[in-house]
Amino acid sequence: MIRRRRRTRRIYVGSVPIGDGAPVAVQSMTKVHPRHIAITLRQIEEAAKAGCEIMRVAVPDDEAVQCLQEIRERSPLPLVADLHFNPRLALMVVEKGIEAIRVNPGTIRSRKRLREIFEAAKEKGVTVRVGINAGSLPRPYEERFGRTPEAMVACALDAVELAEEVGHRELKVSLKASDVPRTVEAYRLFSRRSDYPLHLGVTEAGPPFSGGIKSAVGLGILLAEGIGDTIRVSLTGDPVLEVRAAYHILRALGLRERGVDIISCPTCGRCEVDLEPMVLELERRLAHIDRPLTVAVMGCVVNGPGEAKEADVGIAGGKSSGVLFIKGRVVEKIPPEKWIERLVEEVERLVAEPPLSGNGGCTGPAEEP
Ligand code: SF4
């Protein structure tokens, strides 16, 4: 059972709403130094095409601050500048203009400097993510609580209080650890004590397969409990993979939909066609589709017709031919070598039809009154 989404404040990163019932926003991060302006922009554009709504860019030095300006002017997405260690860089970025910054009280340790950053951000209308990380907690919190969820939450609440002291409330908070139990617990604890919107993530999740699973478990638990307003799946890989993984997680929980959901059977001794390469090819050929559709490819008649019938387009297999279903109707029998071609054809035909509703792909449960 998915709980209703927790009520949080509404903030914005650029024009993207976060919190207060807005669709869970999908974020990613560029993977090169901003001095590589063309590559950074290409990564942002590709992520945007895959459905990314906010992009974070690391700003490690002065050169990055200069390059960020050009990147921002040409970026199709609102940007979050990721700042650590050097408060001067944070102030420069805010001064030059940016939609949001991420600061970590564990790497900008001076309370005075953190306060200055919040003040400048408030003045310039820059949203701030207070990004707590279990691996870089300020010493006093670590000494008092250890590297625990309690330490992460105490650190976040103190930073939020500091921002509020200077009147800045365009804030969101993340509390990331590299393991799921601490991450989940930290977000749960924080969400009981504050209504600032939460940016969910499991930090340093790992390579795409294992990292995707780790993120799906951690983010999935929280989202199912109604916690989380924006997500980033951290993977060692292309930002597009992060965005796709995010949508798979949101779709699995019925929170958002985008692109083709391929339902394929795992195959077994009854399967009479070479299904695995077919499914991989289908996935590749339908990757550009952003309309939410389900496509089923099933190896035999055990569960095949049932699943294929429920999908927008589906094929239930057999050795010599499969039955093609469109919106639950049997359309024709086709031999396995033509399955992929026909499925792609039918999906493209459906996509060319006008959509039935314009809800922006958000299918999340209504927010609590
Ligand atoms: Fe096996 Fe048929 Fe089920 Fe596929 S649909 S896993 S081939 S029983």
Side-chain angles (χ1 to χ4, degrees):
M1 169 93 180
I2 310 292
R3 294 218 196 117
R4 284 181 190 278
R5 289 180 62 201
R6 187 184 67 106
R7 178 170 279 236
T8 49
R9 293 166 193 239
R10 167 67 55 86
I11 64 156
Y12 289 85
V13 172
S15 60
V16 178
I18 295 173
D20 190 29
V24 178
V26 172
Q27 310 203 19
S28 184
M29 189 165 182
T30 55
K31 310 283 174 128
V32 291
H33 189 288
R35 82 171 68 91
H36 304 293
I37 293 176
I39 301 173
T40 302
L41 279 166
R42 197 188 68 222
Q43 290 185 350
I44 296 172
E45 278 154 17
E46 285 174 355
K49 270 192 209 145
C52 186
E53 290 155 318
I54 299 166
M55 203 71 171
R56 185 155 48 114
V57 180
V59 181
D61 49 34
D62 288 74
E63 188 186 10
V65 177
Q66 303 309 324
C67 297
L68 190 62
Q69 264 198 307
E70 183 176 343
I71 292 166
R72 184 175 175 236
E73 276 160 24
R74 294 167 59 192
S75 168
L77 296 179
L79 301 181
V80 181
D82 194 68
L83 294 141
H84 294 276
F85 305 113
N86 193 337
R88 187 181 56 82
L89 292 181
L91 291 168
M92 279 167 69
V93 168
V94 169
E95 184 57 39
K96 283 179 185 291
I98 189 83
E99 286 79 10
I101 57 168
R102 179 266 170 118
V103 289
N104 175 353
T107 57
I108 297 187
R109 292 186 178 162
S110 153
R111 205 174 157 78
K112 184 168 165 277
R113 301 297 268 159
L114 198 56
R115 189 189 177 92
E116 281 170 16
I117 295 170
F118 284 134
E119 266 170 350
K122 159 78 182 160
E123 199 186 309
K124 292 281 179 182
V126 173
T127 298
V128 179
R129 165 151 76 98
V130 173
I132 307 297
N133 196 310
S136 57
L137 279 168
R139 197 174 293 153
Y141 298 93
E142 199 175 325
E143 279 171 5
R144 182 152 174 227
F145 301 102
R147 285 191 184 179
T148 59
E150 289 75 14
M152 294 160 73
V153 171
C155 180
L157 288 171
D158 284 352
V160 164
E161 201 181 299
L162 191 61
E164 286 180 337
E165 273 173 28
V166 300
H168 200 15
R169 292 187 170 79
E170 284 288 302
L171 309 172
K172 58 194 172 109
V173 173
S174 62
L175 303 124
K176 301 186 182 184
S178 55
D179 60 281
V180 169
R182 274 188 307 165
T183 303
V184 167
E185 202 44 36
Y187 279 105
R188 280 179 180 153
L189 284 175
F190 186 88
S191 70
R192 281 184 216 132
R193 299 188 52 186
S194 170
D195 66 353
Y196 279 103
L198 289 172
H199 164 120
L200 299 189
V202 178
T203 197
E204 294 130 18
F209 186 73
S210 57
I213 291 170
K214 205 196 265 190
S215 293
V217 173
L219 275 52
I221 291 171
L222 289 163
L223 290 165
E225 293 179 7
I227 297 170
D229 303 283
T230 174
I231 65 172
R232 189 240 172 151
V233 177
S234 304
L235 298 175
T236 312
D238 196 301
V240 169
L241 294 176
E242 296 189 354
V243 176
R244 287 202 191 131
Y247 277 100
H248 279 296
I249 293 169
L250 294 171
R251 186 206 297 264
L253 292 163
L255 288 169
R256 289 192 79 175
E257 292 187 325
R258 184 189 166 92
V260 176
D261 188 19
I262 296 179
I263 296 162
S264 57
C265 81
T267 77
C268 71
R270 288 191 188 85
C271 191
E272 294 181 322
V273 288
D274 193 7
L275 207 67
E276 190 185 341
M278 284 189 192
V279 170
L280 291 177
E281 192 191 336
L282 192 63
E283 192 173 39
R284 188 182 56 76
R285 291 186 57 182
L286 297 180
H288 64 290
I289 307 276
D290 51 21
R291 171 95 71 90
L293 290 170
T294 49
V295 176
V297 199
M298 306 295 291
C300 83
V301 291
V302 173
N303 291 321
E307 294 288 354
K309 234 183 206 169
E310 283 186 15
D312 292 300
V313 186
I315 281 184
K319 189 173 188 172
S320 53
S321 68
V323 179
L324 176 70
F325 291 84
I326 296 174
K327 302 275 186 193
R329 270 183 319 108
V330 173
V331 173
E332 64 183 273
K333 286 188 170 182
I334 36 184
E337 62 277 12
K338 299 221 167 113
W339 286 12
I340 300 304
E341 219 44 62
R342 286 290 286 122
L343 285 170
V344 171
E345 222 174 84
E346 288 304 326
V347 167
E348 282 174 349
R349 193 184 54 74
L350 281 179
V351 168
E353 291 174 1
L356 289 175
S357 68
N359 67 353
C362 175
T363 60
E367 195 208 356
E368 280 178 319

